[in-house]
Amino acid sequence: MEFNLIELITLAVVVYLLSTIFRLEQRVKTLNYKVDQLSSHSDVTEEELYQELHQELKGLIHQGKDVQAVKRVRETKGLSLVEAKQYVDTFKLNEQ
């Protein structure tokens, strides 16, 4: 069975991507463990942790800048566009 150059390059790229994904998954697991350990030794609630973000969101929403608020939530919390939009909508409802 002969492999041509394109198939070999494709195989090499796939192997590289899979190994990169595996390393990233391991790193995320390690970081999650560290965060869990730190949070178990801290009295800080999630509300306190995101207090600065919530103040910023209040200002942006008050100015009618909902898109910027969604963008800020995505940057800060690492959420998808839909999740960030839902977060901002829920935040707006709770602030009324």
Side-chain angles (χ1 to χ4, degrees), residues 25-70:
E25 286 176 342
Q26 291 304 111
R27 188 165 182 214
V28 167
K29 286 179 185 177
T30 301
L31 290 172
N32 282 336
Y33 175 76
K34 289 178 181 180
V35 168
D36 289 342
Q37 292 299 311
L38 288 171
S39 65
S40 70
H41 291 85
S42 174
D43 297 342
V44 177
T45 64
E46 186 172 350
E47 178 66 31
E48 293 169 332
L49 187 62
Y50 291 113
Q51 187 173 12
E52 185 177 321
L53 171 65
H54 291 171
Q55 290 300 320
E56 187 176 350
L57 290 179
K58 284 180 189 178
L60 290 170
I61 291 168
H62 180 70
Q63 296 171 15
K65 298 181 177 180
D66 289 10
V67 173
Q68 286 86 349
V70 171

Side-chain angles (χ1 to χ4, degrees), residues 83-96:
E83 292 169 327
K85 174 73 169 101
Q86 291 171 345
Y87 186 93
V88 170
D89 290 343
T90 302
F91 184 81
K92 285 170 57 175
L93 287 175
N94 291 335
E95 291 299 311
Q96 292 179 349

